[in-house]
Amino acid sequence: MDFLNPEPPYVLFRDRPEWSDVSPVPQDDGTTPLAPILYNDKYKDATSYFRAIYVAKEYSPRVLDLTLEIIKQNASHYTVWQYRYRTLLSLNSPLTAELHLLSKLLPTHLKSYQAWNHRRLLLLQLGKKAARGELAFAEIALAKDAKNYHTWVYREWLLCNFFAPTPAITASSHPDPEQESGSAEPVPVIEELDEDESADEDVWREEVAFTDRMLEDDVRNNSVWHHRFFVLFEGPRAKPTGELVQSEIEYTKHAISLAPSNASAWSYLRGLLTPLHPTSPTSASRPRLSPLLPFARPYTLPTHMQSGLRALTAAQDRPFLPRDGAELPCVEALEFVAEAVVELGPAGVDEAGQLYEGLKSRDPIRKQYWEYKKRSLQSAGSTPPVASVPPAASLAPVAGQA
Amino acid sequence: MANQPAMDTLLVDKHVKYIQSLGENTDDLMYHMTAHLRLNAIYWGLTALCIMGRPDALVKEDVIAFVMSCWDDDEGAFGAHPGHDAHILPTLSALQILTIYDALERTDTNRLVTWLAARQTPTGSFSGDQWGETDTRFSYIAVQALELLGRLDVIDKDKAVAHINRCKNFDGGFGATEGAESHAGQIFVCTAALAILDRLEDIDQPTLAWWLAERQLPNGGLNGRPEKLEDVCYSFWVLSALSILQKLKWIDSDALIKFILSAQDPEGGGIADRPGDMVDVFHTLFGICGLSLLGYKGVGEINPIYCLPAEVTKRKGLHMNYQVLGKGEA
């Protein structure tokens, strides 16, 4: 709401003199109106004018006014979005201005596939110079809705498409069959390798810092944990060294100490402990959890035991103990320990069985799953134990493999 | 809400009336705003009616006539509403409706096959329309649509699978594109697509099934990602994937049934995303489908791979490898 510049009162298109040459086309609901529609006046008015210019294939500036009005009222009208895009290209409109205009409509964006796709199409035309600004836009969008799936997918697309080391074919490679003169078609854009590699590297590095900030806001935001893993370990600029894995383990341990009941953090930890790039895509590699047992075990003890535990813990290990006031034990830790101890041999299998039995009452909604896990211990004759527990320093599931 | 009537049964008659009324509800503002979903909405309504045992609550010829009026002759596929551009989402809905009515011959299947084949990109992903947005949803939709038309041969299946596998994440789940977060909706479409393409072994099944089981919240409802709210539609996305992976027992079905039933509108009919919210036909279908997979008495069987009535998919000889609770051990 802009108090200094209030919006002018809305004028129906049928009352706008510049539209007086157009005959609006009423809604056609097919041969029999199976789903007849009564529009409110504003929407009926605008869409009836849209149908007229759509049929006439008009791509003029006033069409931009019209399509904007419809989009404001209904951000999912995909036909209108597409027509607007064609109009922009046909008029050679400044697309950066379009991005800015749309950014003012951010609330309509947030859950509209079409709004985000429109931005993507504009970026394919504008190229890399616009991409940094779009990262900033995505950050503003995430400030409003930190878990918005579209926004995160868009952000990941920006990073991979404009700041990745290999050229990306991003537009459809199929030519537009329409081929009308004056009609716009999406032009496949192949981004050339940017000479300034270090600038690209900076962008990805900033991305890690970005996830730090977002986790400070909400350490339980699963989208952020996912994004961090993608940036550091799976994306086109990932460099998953042993040192990186180790430092991320410390990072995650810290996060868990702040908020133990955090499925995303425990899942991230498992991801760190899973060898990357298994030899065959169809066989999943299993994580090796037992090295983290000393970290995880305190989280399986009840709250009242924590102060005693802290007193007995060496100073250098205390930072990763649960903070005061944490509600413990947490299900994630019990599960983690159960899986980890199995790696150690038959005594571990016994302990795992007890832990799964306990989980049936702690997490009763999934008691069938815990029963399954318990039964799997017996029927498999337990998974073969790891031959030796590797010392922490050599914990490097992947070292520098690209 | 005080004085809420106990809702421990599925209010079939109310839901049938609600679906029928969608064509009459001319005062509803939201109704006209959803023209871009109209064909999808009819498919949702019709499928719900079928598994409630009331397929004749809509007039078959009227529905088919409407479907045909959504044909975009420039492209050779279906839009969501007359005059709307072709898109893969309403195209599948059209094919699903015609399959239910055993009326596929009414449409130009050759042009459809061509249009669908053109959706596959060089990387193996699929676009929703000529404008190129790709998403694993569209992989599933294209694969199902072509199987309904008996023409899966026109796509490169290996590349399609390779792309889906690239959308797999470290937690065993799948996202919309490479690098996208695991999300129950995307997991459903990837799992179902792999089922149709006979590549379920590419999934890390125990890990994924556990991730899905973790979606159940203390209130019995399911969410779509960790730390998000419950929503009745996840009763389908999550449950279907679990059904295909034969792990439905890993969630508490009584608690989920209670949750779905509590999201009904006992006066106007229909089901909402969660108790107390406004209903819509999308959540009505997916709530009822959830009940079907959980073996709820009185609801017909849904085939989760296609979200079509099981008897329809049986008639067409489609994939039937999924689990329904209480229907013999799988």
Side-chain angles (χ1 to χ4, degrees):
Chain A
M1 294 257 210
D2 189 338
F3 294 102
L4 296 178
N5 297 302
E7 290 208 5
Y10 187 87
V11 178
L12 295 174
F13 284 86
R14 64 174 177 251
D15 298 327
R16 300 189 193 197
E18 68 272 23
W19 283 89
S20 57
D21 60 305
V22 176
S23 302
V25 176
Q27 178 69 46
D28 167 27
D29 288 319
T31 54
T32 48
L34 177 80
I37 291 165
L38 180 77
Y39 297 93
N40 84 347
D41 227 20
K42 236 170 115 172
Y43 195 70
K44 176 180 185 175
D45 171 73
T47 49
S48 60
Y49 277 84
F50 176 74
R51 276 184 287 279
I53 57 95
Y54 180 91
V55 164
K57 296 195 193 326
E58 179 181 329
Y59 294 102
S60 65
R62 67 182 178 179
V63 166
L64 292 179
D65 293 336
L66 176 63
T67 51
L68 183 64
E69 273 314 319
I70 298 174
I71 282 162
K72 277 181 180 172
Q73 295 177 48
N74 181 6
S76 302
H77 199 314
Y78 66 90
T79 302
V80 168
W81 280 103
Q82 285 164 188
Y83 200 87
R84 181 178 179 84
Y85 178 67
R86 294 207 287 279
T87 306
L88 289 166
L89 295 186
S90 186
L91 294 174
N92 237 337
S93 289
L95 300 182
T96 313
E98 172 75 355
L99 278 178
H100 292 156
L101 174 65
L102 283 185
S103 299
K104 295 198 197 131
L105 298 182
L106 180 51
T108 60
H109 258 79
L110 288 173
K111 305 248 179 196
S112 161
Y113 284 101
Q114 292 73 29
W116 289 104
N117 192 50
H118 189 76
R119 286 194 98 88
R120 208 178 333 252
L121 291 173
L122 297 175
L123 264 285
L124 289 173
Q125 297 293 328
L126 287 168
K128 187 166 180 173
K129 57 179 164 32
R132 278 253 200 182
E134 285 297 283
L135 285 172
F137 174 74
E139 186 161 354
I140 293 169
L142 287 171
K144 292 210 180 299
D145 182 359
K147 300 180 184 181
N148 188 295
Y149 196 78
H150 304 282
T151 315
W152 283 107
V153 170
Y154 184 67
R155 193 175 183 90
E156 278 138 14
W157 177 79
L158 289 167
L159 290 165
C160 292
N161 206 53
F162 296 106
F163 302 102
T166 50
I169 298 173
T170 47
S172 164
S173 303
H174 302 277
D176 183 352
E178 266 184 39
Q179 293 295 336
E180 295 165 5
S181 63
S183 87
E185 55 181 80
V187 176
V189 171
I190 298 174
E191 285 298 319
E192 294 292 85
L193 179 61
D194 192 340
E195 296 297 301
D196 200 348
E197 275 276 306
S198 68
D200 282 3
E201 296 273 357
D202 282 345
V203 169
W204 287 84
R205 233 189 317 273
E206 279 158 29
E207 210 53 22
V208 183
F210 173 67
T211 63
D212 287 336
R213 293 196 296 277
M214 293 221 58
L215 286 176
E216 267 168 43
D217 279 344
D218 179 5
V219 74
R220 290 193 170 86
N221 187 329
N222 191 67
S223 308
V224 183
W225 286 101
H226 166 85
H227 190 71
R228 191 178 176 98
F229 198 91
F230 171 69
V231 166
L232 289 174
F233 296 103
E234 290 178 328
R237 286 200 177 271
K239 290 180 184 57
T241 61
E243 285 104 8
L244 178 63
V245 170
Q246 201 48 47
S247 76
E248 285 300 294
I249 289 173
E250 304 303 293
Y251 183 88
T252 311
K253 283 158 64 175
H254 175 72
I256 289 173
S257 72
L258 296 176
S261 187
N262 181 352
S264 308
W266 288 95
S267 175
Y268 190 82
L269 191 59
R270 263 198 177 77
L272 294 170
L273 298 169
T274 307
L276 297 175
H277 306 294
T279 47
S280 139
T282 56
S283 74
S285 25
R286 302 257 65 91
R288 279 191 340 230
L289 307 183
S290 47
L292 271 289
L293 269 171
F295 160 73
R297 280 200 184 282
Y299 293 86
T300 66
L301 297 173
T303 310
H304 65 85
M305 286 181 69
Q306 293 299 330
S307 49
L309 178 66
R310 180 170 288 275
L312 294 170
T313 301
Q316 75 262 20
D317 296 327
R318 283 188 198 160
F320 296 123
L321 288 176
R323 292 282 179 278
D324 282 338
E327 236 187 77
L328 293 169
C330 65
V331 166
E332 293 86 353
L334 292 165
E335 176 178 23
F336 187 94
V337 168
E339 215 175 305
V341 291
V342 167
E343 295 168 14
L344 302 180
V349 171
D350 282 342
E351 186 184 354
Q354 285 163 31
L355 287 165
Y356 287 133
E357 187 59 39
L359 278 162
K360 281 160 66 175
S361 26
R362 274 199 188 280
D363 187 30
I365 213 165
R366 271 166 285 274
K367 64 174 184 281
Q368 305 259 38
Y369 172 72
W370 301 122
E371 179 57 40
Y372 160 85
K373 289 293 279 186
K374 194 174 159 199
R375 273 186 290 115
S376 306
L377 291 171
Q378 289 142 23
S379 57
S382 94
T383 44
V386 173
S388 65
V389 177
S394 72
L395 180 72
V398 173
Q401 290 172 32
Chain B
M1 276 194 201
N3 302 322
Q4 181 94 335
M7 286 196 289
D8 50 6
T9 52
L10 183 66
L11 307 166
V12 172
D13 288 337
K14 294 272 181 190
H15 300 318
V16 171
K17 285 212 176 62
Y18 168 73
I19 291 168
Q20 287 177 311
S21 78
L22 291 171
E24 301 147 20
N25 213 349
T26 57
D27 284 339
D28 187 26
L29 185 69
M30 278 319 299
Y31 184 75
H32 70 73
M33 291 291 208
T34 54
H36 62 281
L37 287 175
R38 188 67 63 235
L39 202 42
N40 308 299
I42 290 171
Y43 150 71
W44 296 328
L46 177 61
T47 304
L49 289 172
C50 285
I51 58 173
M52 287 192 289
R54 309 281 288 275
D56 297 329
L58 291 180
V59 178
K60 173 176 171 177
E61 284 307 320
D62 286 352
V63 175
I64 293 178
F66 182 79
V67 169
M68 299 316 302
S69 75
C70 293
W71 177 255
D72 177 350
D73 203 46
D74 291 340
E75 297 235 21
F78 290 91
H81 203 275
H84 287 219
D85 292 347
H87 192 279
I88 209 171
L89 284 160
T91 297
L92 177 64
S93 294
L95 290 171
Q96 287 170 313
I97 293 167
L98 293 174
T99 300
I100 289 172
Y101 285 140
D102 203 5
L104 274 175
E105 75 284 352
R106 306 261 197 127
T107 185
D108 189 339
T109 53
N110 286 329
R111 286 193 76 195
L112 276 164
V113 169
T114 305
W115 189 88
L116 288 164
R119 303 280 62 78
Q120 187 165 33
T121 72
T123 63
S125 66
F126 287 81
S127 61
D129 56 24
Q130 58 165 312
W131 300 96
E133 176 196 6
T134 65
D135 187 317
T136 45
R137 289 177 299 144
F138 305 147
S139 300
Y140 164 67
I141 289 168
V143 158
Q144 181 185 157
L146 286 167
E147 195 186 16
L148 293 180
L149 292 167
R151 294 300 310 277
L152 268 175
D153 58 289
V154 301
I155 54 157
D156 186 327
K157 289 186 243 181
D158 286 336
K159 273 194 167 158
V161 171
H163 174 76
I164 290 172
N165 280 331
R166 281 194 297 273
C167 297
K168 208 185 306 182
N169 292 313
F170 66 91
D171 54 13
F174 294 88
T177 52
E178 286 178 60
E181 186 187 0
S182 298
H183 180 290
Q186 312 294 150
I187 287 169
F188 160 68
V189 297
C190 290
T191 305
L194 290 174
I196 294 174
L197 296 171
D198 298 309
R199 293 287 292 270
L200 278 174
E201 69 270 15
D202 286 11
I203 295 176
D204 179 355
Q205 298 193 21
T207 303
L208 179 55
W210 171 76
W211 188 98
L212 291 164
E214 287 281 296
R215 299 302 106 240
Q216 189 161 34
L217 295 168
N219 61 25
L222 307 179
N223 65 16
R225 290 180 275 168
E227 297 293 319
K228 295 279 282 180
L229 289 178
E230 69 287 352
D231 186 323
V232 159
C233 67
Y234 293 115
S235 308
F236 184 72
W237 311 129
V238 172
L239 234 49
S240 303
L242 279 171
S243 164
I244 294 168
L245 299 176
Q246 313 278 347
K247 294 288 188 290
L248 277 174
K249 289 193 171 164
W250 285 6
I251 57 128
D252 184 332
S253 54
D254 287 339
L256 180 55
I257 288 172
K258 262 212 190 76
F259 174 77
I260 295 171
L261 293 177
S262 73
Q264 298 177 96
D265 177 349
E267 274 131 44
I271 300 177
D273 58 356
R274 62 186 67 86
D277 281 356
M278 269 204 59
V279 305
D280 58 56
V281 65
F282 173 87
H283 289 94
T284 304
L285 170 66
F286 293 123
I288 294 172
C289 283
L291 293 173
S292 170
L293 292 173
L294 295 173
Y296 188 82
K297 292 251 173 315
V299 174
E301 186 174 316
I302 192 78
N303 181 331
I305 299 170
Y306 307 91
C307 196
L308 284 170
E311 60 185 14
V312 170
T313 59
K314 201 165 178 188
R315 181 201 348 123
K316 294 268 301 178
L318 303 175
H319 289 80
M320 303 286 292
N321 46 326
Y322 57 89
Q323 182 190 32
V324 173
L325 283 185
K327 202 190 142 204
E329 291 306 325

